[in-house]
């Protein structure tokens, strides 16, 4: 019985510690994850505490897929698409360059280490961590910077783990070809994208048929693993598959999910993310004692590991700084004025083509009309993208934050522990990975708020103004859609029957005001009418969501308001039925 109770007590204590650290973190002006790391470090040094070795597969398979999936569901997809090029560069090219530079450093400081194992260690230390990015979100930095960092941390694991997998396999046989790494990476990404997209789409369609909220939530919890496992079996990156499934699910929820499902998913995944993130950081701290003991008993001791880790952390920051400097320089050199002029020329040609009767006569009118509509939509999206770039430019201050916010975390530690038991210098490699991860989180995590404040980026007034304007404009557009449906009498009850014409005429300007249920004779009819109008407003929201005119934050805020209104109306109608 004791063997059962003890682990249960530890789990209860861990949940309480994570919750308390998350709650008091903002009051102490310290991110909750950093509190958990330091707390774990302190507990691990107590002489009476014994932490059992945790299988890294538990983290790689049981923790990372749901964590990345949860982050991908809430990823601002519109902004992610706009900055996909720099995100892809940070996720692929920067990881590859960092791994190679680190490999040559490790060859120089660790005698007898084969190149492929040095490359594997470089790959382990190269990716930034999605969990660590949670620290950045609380600092009020430009949304564009947060999107770039979050997108990078979601995708760079694939590059790192593919390099690690190929390097370890090559070390086992004695050699590996460069084409093998490139081919494995391309195949891994293709398989991940296909499987993740299919799983995400099937998830939306299948869950739309399940109306029981508890059953629907249970199905949602297994989606990241359904995407991860077959992808890994096919030689792809299961983590990328979980990310793709999350993106597809997040973008399709507006069309396929009910308000109850969206609200339930939002709260449940937020809780899961909180617990898993906290557990990961707590475990990182608790494992310190065992890692220290292994290196103290080794021939090289801990001094060599500390020195190597310090220099390695400096190298990844320098390489990242150089790469981000080039990236920001290229971004600032983009001629937005010439880009706007080209868009205006395209706009003029489209208008001329639409007004040319001879051109319309030479093609099928229907096909011509559809093609013109698609081109106008693409042009409108390009204008919106350009406005976004002009309103939120990336300057050297943003670049400094991107460099310093590139913290290492759980992926680095878990990947190091997946090395085969007979790997040369394995305790030293794990010790270096641990020190880089924890040192990065502690040093960069504690100083990042100070750097953001010193650079004057804590409040991005331009981005806030754009977001506020987006929200007001979108609210006006949704109200106009409801008013139009009301004026044209295009609204029906939930059972398909029509509303009374005097009710449609009487509501008019009171669309956005809640009715007085006690004094209005048509109280139930008004509630039914408001419910029908919400459906029209949501339809309009779906139409504008793909145009890029409004930010993801504005779209999600509007959707949350519509969902809350609909749930409230349904509850009041159900109470009347009883």
């Amino acid at each position: 019985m004791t063997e059962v109770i003890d682990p249960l007590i530890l789990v209860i204590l861990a949940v309480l510690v994570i919750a308390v650290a998350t709650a008091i973190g903002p009051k102490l002006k310290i991110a909750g994850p950093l509190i958990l790391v330091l707390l774990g470090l302190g507990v691990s040094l107590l002489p009476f505490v014994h932490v059992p070795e945790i299988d890294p597969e538990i983290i790689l398979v049981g923790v990372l897929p749901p964590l990345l999936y949860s982050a991908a569901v809430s990823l601002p997809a519109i902004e992610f698409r706009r900055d996909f090029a720099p995100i892809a560069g940070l996720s692929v090219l920067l990881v590859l360059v960092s791994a190679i530079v680190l490999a040559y450093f490790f060859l120089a400081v660790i005698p007898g280490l084969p190149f492929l194992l040095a490359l594997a260690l470089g790959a382990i230390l190269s990716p930034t961590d999605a969990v660590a990015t949670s620290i950045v979100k609380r600092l009020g930095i430009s949304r564009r910077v947060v999107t770039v960092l979050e997108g990078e941390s979601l995708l760079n694991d694939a590059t790192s783990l593919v390099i690690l997998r190929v390097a370890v396999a090559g070390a086992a046989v004695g050699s590996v070809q460069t084409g093998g790494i490139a081919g494995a990476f391309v195949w891994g990404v293709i398989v991940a994208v296909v499987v993740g997209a299919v799983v995400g789409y099937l998830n939306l369609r299948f869950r739309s048929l399940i109306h029981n909220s508890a059953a629907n939530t249970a199905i949602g919890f297994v989606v990241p693993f359904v995407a991860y496992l077959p992808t890994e079996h096919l030689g792809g990156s299961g983590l990328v598959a979980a990310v793709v499934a999350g993106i597809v699910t997040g973008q399709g929820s507006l069309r396929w999910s009910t308000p109850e499902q969206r609200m339930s998913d939002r709260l449940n995944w937020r809780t899961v993310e909180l617990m898993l993130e906290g557990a990961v950081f707590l475990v990182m701290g608790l494992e310190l004692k065992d890692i220290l003991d292994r290196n103290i008993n080794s021939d090289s001791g801990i001094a060599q590991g500390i020195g190597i880790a310090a220099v390695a952390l400096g190298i990844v920051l320098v390489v990242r700084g150089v790469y981000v400097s080039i990236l920001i320089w290229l971004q600032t050199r983009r001629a937005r004025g010439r880009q706007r002029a080209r868009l205006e020329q395209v706009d003029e040609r489209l208008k001329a083509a639409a007004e040319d009767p001879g051109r319309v006569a030479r093609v099928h009118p229907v096909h011509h009309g559809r093609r013109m509509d698609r081109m106008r939509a693409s042009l409108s999206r390009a204008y919106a993208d350009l406005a976004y770039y002009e309103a939120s430019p990336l300057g050297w201050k943003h670049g400094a934050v991107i460099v310093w916010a590139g913290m290492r975390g759980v992926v680095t530690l878990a990947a190091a522990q997946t090395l085969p038991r007979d790997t040369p210098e394995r305790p030293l490699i794990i010790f270096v990975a641990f020190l880089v991860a924890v040192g990065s989180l502690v040093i960069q995590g504690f100083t990042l708020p100070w750097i953001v404040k010193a650079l004057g980026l804590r409040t991005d007034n331009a981005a806030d103004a754009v977001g506020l304007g987006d929200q007001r404009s979108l609210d006006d557009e949704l109200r106009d859609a409801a008013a139009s449906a009301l004026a044209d009498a295009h609204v029906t009850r939930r059972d398909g029957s029509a509303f009374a014409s005097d009710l449609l005429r009487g509501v008019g300007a009171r669309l956005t005001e809640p009715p007085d249920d006690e004094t209005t004779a048509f109280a139930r009819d008004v509630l039914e009418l408001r419910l029908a109008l919400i459906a029209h407003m949501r339809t309009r929201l779906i139409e504008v969501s793909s145009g890029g005119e409004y930010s993801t934050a504005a779209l999600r805020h509007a959707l949350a308001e519509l969902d809350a209104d609909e749930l409230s109306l349904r509850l009041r109608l159900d109470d009347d039925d009883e």
Side-chain angles (χ1 to χ4, degrees):
M1 189 68 174
T2 305
E3 295 179 356
V4 177
I5 294 177
D6 290 347
L8 181 59
I9 293 176
L10 292 177
V11 170
I12 293 173
L13 290 175
V15 171
L16 292 175
V17 167
I18 292 169
V20 171
T22 303
I24 67 174
K27 297 180 180 180
L28 300 176
K29 296 183 179 181
I30 302 174
L34 295 179
I35 296 177
L36 292 171
V37 170
L38 295 178
L39 183 61
L41 288 172
V43 172
S44 70
L45 296 176
L46 297 176
F48 55 84
V49 173
H50 171 69
V51 180
E53 184 175 358
I54 298 176
D55 188 346
E57 290 296 324
I58 294 177
I59 296 178
L60 288 176
V61 180
V63 175
L64 289 183
L67 263 181
L68 296 179
Y69 174 86
S70 176
V73 168
S74 59
L75 185 73
I78 296 174
E79 292 77 6
F80 178 78
R81 173 186 60 80
R82 286 167 171 163
D83 281 316
F84 181 76
I87 289 173
L90 290 167
S91 303
V92 179
L93 185 58
L94 177 58
V95 171
L96 182 60
V97 172
S98 300
I100 293 174
V101 173
L102 286 171
Y104 282 104
F105 164 69
F106 293 133
L107 284 176
V109 297
I110 303 179
L113 186 69
F115 174 78
L116 289 175
L117 287 180
L119 181 63
L121 180 53
I124 289 170
L125 301 182
S126 295
T128 56
D129 196 76
V131 180
T133 310
S134 63
I135 299 173
V136 183
K137 297 180 182 179
R138 303 179 177 94
L139 299 179
I141 305 173
S142 165
R143 294 174 183 171
R144 188 177 181 187
V145 173
V146 174
T147 300
V148 170
L149 290 170
E150 191 172 12
E152 175 197 8
S153 62
L154 287 175
L155 298 179
N156 59 11
D157 297 334
T159 308
S160 170
L161 294 179
V162 166
I163 296 175
L164 174 63
R165 182 185 305 165
V166 175
V168 171
V173 298
S175 66
V176 66
Q177 296 180 352
T178 305
I181 297 178
F185 176 75
V186 172
W187 171 253
V189 171
I190 292 175
V191 171
V193 170
V194 172
V195 174
V198 171
V199 170
Y201 176 74
L202 293 178
N203 168 45
L204 290 170
R205 296 302 301 268
F206 182 60
R207 293 181 66 192
S208 67
L209 304 176
I210 307 297
H211 302 295
N212 183 287
S213 298
N216 203 290
T217 299
I219 295 172
F221 284 149
V222 303
V223 172
F225 304 105
V226 172
Y228 179 90
L229 293 175
T231 305
E232 288 289 321
H233 180 72
L234 295 173
S237 172
L239 297 181
V240 173
V243 169
V244 173
I247 293 175
V248 172
T249 299
Q251 297 310 297
S253 64
L254 172 58
R255 185 183 300 270
W256 295 103
S257 300
T258 65
E260 293 90 347
Q261 291 172 1
R262 284 190 289 268
M263 184 171 294
S264 174
D265 282 354
R266 188 161 52 247
L267 295 175
N268 288 327
W269 279 112
R270 190 177 301 168
T271 303
V272 170
E273 191 172 348
L274 172 67
M275 288 295 105
L276 291 181
E277 280 185 1
V280 165
F281 283 111
L282 194 58
V283 167
M284 286 180 64
L286 289 171
E287 289 187 331
L288 174 64
K289 183 178 180 181
D290 183 59
I291 295 174
L292 279 173
D293 289 342
R294 292 181 184 180
N295 282 270
I296 290 175
N297 296 328
S298 66
D299 295 335
S300 56
I302 63 172
Q304 181 185 12
I306 294 174
I308 292 175
V311 177
L313 180 58
I315 289 175
V316 295
L317 287 174
V318 170
V319 173
R320 184 176 180 84
V322 173
Y323 183 89
V324 172
S325 299
I326 296 173
L327 175 64
I328 297 298
W329 179 73
L330 292 175
Q331 290 285 317
T332 56
R333 283 185 58 86
R334 294 189 66 176
R336 301 298 182 189
R338 287 200 297 269
Q339 187 176 354
R340 181 172 292 277
R342 287 195 296 269
L343 292 178
E344 291 173 351
Q345 292 175 0
V346 174
D347 194 9
E348 292 176 359
R349 287 198 294 268
L350 284 178
K351 292 178 180 177
E355 296 172 357
D356 184 1
R359 179 178 177 84
V360 176
R362 290 192 297 269
V363 298
H364 193 286
V366 176
H367 292 169
H368 178 78
R370 291 175 179 172
R371 182 184 178 193
M372 294 295 292
D373 290 342
R374 287 195 298 268
M375 295 180 68
R376 289 194 190 97
S378 299
L379 183 63
S380 175
R381 192 158 45 245
Y383 270 122
D385 292 348
L386 183 59
Y388 170 79
Y389 297 137
E390 292 174 341
S392 302
L394 291 179
W396 69 268
K397 293 182 179 180
H398 301 101
V401 173
I402 292 174
V403 172
W404 201 247
M407 291 168 269
R408 275 61 189 167
V410 60
V411 175
T412 293
L413 185 58
Q417 292 177 332
T418 61
L419 292 173
R421 298 292 178 184
D422 58 351
T423 300
E425 302 290 350
R426 186 176 185 273
L428 176 62
I429 292 175
I430 294 177
F431 185 49
V432 169
F434 181 89
L435 290 180
V436 170
V438 174
S440 171
L441 286 171
V442 173
I443 296 173
Q444 295 171 242
F446 271 113
T447 57
L448 185 60
W450 178 83
I451 291 176
V452 170
K453 185 176 181 179
L455 293 174
L457 294 176
R458 182 171 293 277
T459 302
D460 195 326
N461 294 323
D464 290 346
V466 172
L468 183 59
D470 266 0
Q471 193 62 63
R472 290 173 176 172
S473 177
L474 181 56
D475 290 343
D476 291 341
E477 183 155 351
L478 296 182
R479 281 194 292 268
D480 290 343
S484 176
L486 183 66
D488 298 337
H490 286 165
V491 289
T492 60
R493 300 178 188 271
R494 287 183 288 178
D495 60 4
S497 60
F499 289 100
S501 58
D502 57 341
L503 177 64
L504 295 178
R505 288 193 302 269
V507 172
R510 301 186 62 192
L511 255 181
T512 59
E513 300 177 7
D516 186 349
D517 295 350
E518 283 72 24
T519 60
T520 302
F522 303 109
R524 181 177 179 82
D525 287 338
V526 170
L527 293 176
E528 287 273 11
L529 178 56
R530 291 183 64 204
L531 198 60
L533 291 174
I534 286 176
H536 282 270
M537 296 168 78
R538 188 177 287 112
T539 299
R540 182 56 183 160
L541 189 63
I542 294 174
E543 293 173 356
V544 302
S545 62
S546 60
E549 182 179 355
Y550 301 104
S551 66
T552 302
L555 293 169
R556 287 178 176 169
H557 182 79
L559 177 62
E561 286 188 333
L562 292 178
D563 287 347
D565 288 345
E566 180 175 338
L567 291 174
S568 176
L569 290 171
R570 286 184 177 180
L571 181 62
R572 292 158 72 180
L573 286 169
D574 292 341
D575 288 342
D576 290 343
D577 291 338
E578 296 177 357

